[in-house]
Amino acid sequence: MINYTSEVQNMCCVAKGPKHGPAPIPEEGKWVKALEIKDISGFTHGVGWCAPQQGACKLSLNVKDGIIEEALVETIGCSGMTHSAAMAAEILPGKTILEALNTDLVCDAINTAMRELFLQIVYGRSQSAFSDDGLSVGAGLEDLGKGLRSQVGTMYGTKLKGVRYLEMAEGYVTRLALDADDQVIGYEFISLGKMTDFIKKGDDPTTAYNKAIGSYGRFADAAKYIDPRKE
């Protein structure tokens, strides 16, 4: 029961004019006037950060009729955050986006990512906004590619000694290719996902390692090669 102050009770009634409903938002190829959580659908991803900004989380959610059907949690920069991500990936699916927004997802960065994604989804700014029927559950894995590994870039550089490529989307960088002027013209990498798959299929580690090696750029034209972690 709603309690009203005496001032409100003593007021006369003024009729309300036209009913101004919510503005329609784009959702999976449709224009939807969202009145309840179950009216919300969409696939999107975004980034959150922890309070001291020492780590970050990329969160991907696939929402159907207000329910999170799929969640991909990727973290970087904090060892404890990986354990939090394991818990969050179990917690999120099956919750409404409002429940998820008000659930402790263990880590500040994951909670912040959930807040940012909630805003995107309820305002119709999802990646699937104009895709008929949205994206199938399982689409989140497409971000990972073959081997189901996050695409991570790790680069280091100093004014005195220059740049070092350590990790690329293709994998762990083993050697940098330098030209005659000591400028980077390519790199060699080992795809850890492929190597692990080869080993699981029966290859010995050395064979698997050699089969998973690749290169990029003018690697074969280098004047010299360096190990970016040791040289």
Side-chain angles (χ1 to χ4, degrees):
M1 184 176 178
I2 301 175
N3 293 319
Y4 296 97
T5 64
S6 58
E7 288 83 1
V8 173
Q9 293 180 27
N10 293 328
M11 289 178 180
C12 64
C13 288
V14 176
K16 187 176 181 178
K19 181 180 179 181
H20 298 284
I25 60 175
E27 284 187 13
E28 303 192 336
K30 307 176 184 68
W31 289 99
V32 177
K33 289 190 174 183
L35 300 175
E36 301 177 26
I37 289 296
K38 65 181 179 62
D39 296 327
I40 300 295
S41 295
F43 177 93
T44 194
H45 22 225
V47 175
W49 53 94
C50 60
Q53 298 184 9
Q54 294 175 341
C57 165
K58 179 188 174 187
L59 180 62
S60 303
L61 297 179
N62 201 345
V63 178
K64 304 290 186 184
D65 300 324
I67 304 292
I68 296 172
E69 296 287 347
E70 176 185 18
L72 172 64
V73 189
E74 301 173 85
T75 62
I76 189 169
C78 172
S79 58
M81 195 188 300
T82 62
H83 295 243
S84 300
M87 299 173 71
E90 185 174 355
I91 291 170
L92 285 167
K95 285 187 175 290
T96 69
I97 55 173
L98 185 58
E99 283 181 292
L101 182 67
N102 289 286
T103 297
D104 182 6
L105 300 174
V106 189
C107 167
D108 280 351
I110 305 174
N111 285 319
T112 302
M114 183 62 229
R115 180 194 71 197
E116 298 302 308
L117 262 65
F118 180 89
L119 294 175
Q120 290 181 33
I121 295 169
V122 298
Y123 287 137
R125 288 165 173 80
S126 67
Q127 275 77 7
S128 61
F130 299 101
S131 302
D132 286 342
D133 299 322
L135 300 181
S136 300
V137 175
L141 292 179
E142 294 178 5
D143 270 7
L144 301 179
K146 293 181 179 179
L148 300 184
R149 286 177 55 86
S150 295
Q151 297 187 58
V152 178
T154 307
M155 314 298 161
Y156 179 73
T158 62
K159 179 181 177 182
L160 182 65
K161 299 294 184 177
V163 72
R164 300 294 186 277
Y165 301 170
L166 302 175
E167 188 96 18
M168 287 283 191
E170 300 93 337
Y172 177 99
V173 177
T174 52
R175 289 190 293 169
L176 292 185
L178 307 184
D179 65 12
D181 296 320
D182 288 337
Q183 296 182 2
V184 178
I185 59 172
Y187 54 87
E188 178 187 71
F189 60 86
I190 173 74
S191 174
L192 298 179
K194 289 182 180 180
M195 184 179 75
T196 304
D197 287 341
F198 290 142
I199 293 173
K200 288 193 293 184
K201 290 178 180 177
D203 286 347
D204 65 86
T206 301
T207 300
Y209 179 88
N210 290 329
K211 287 170 65 175
I213 288 177
S215 63
Y216 184 84
R218 294 187 290 119
F219 185 79
D221 301 331
K224 68 177 179 179
Y225 302 96
I226 64 169
D227 183 334
R229 290 172 172 78
K230 295 182 179 180
E231 297 176 79

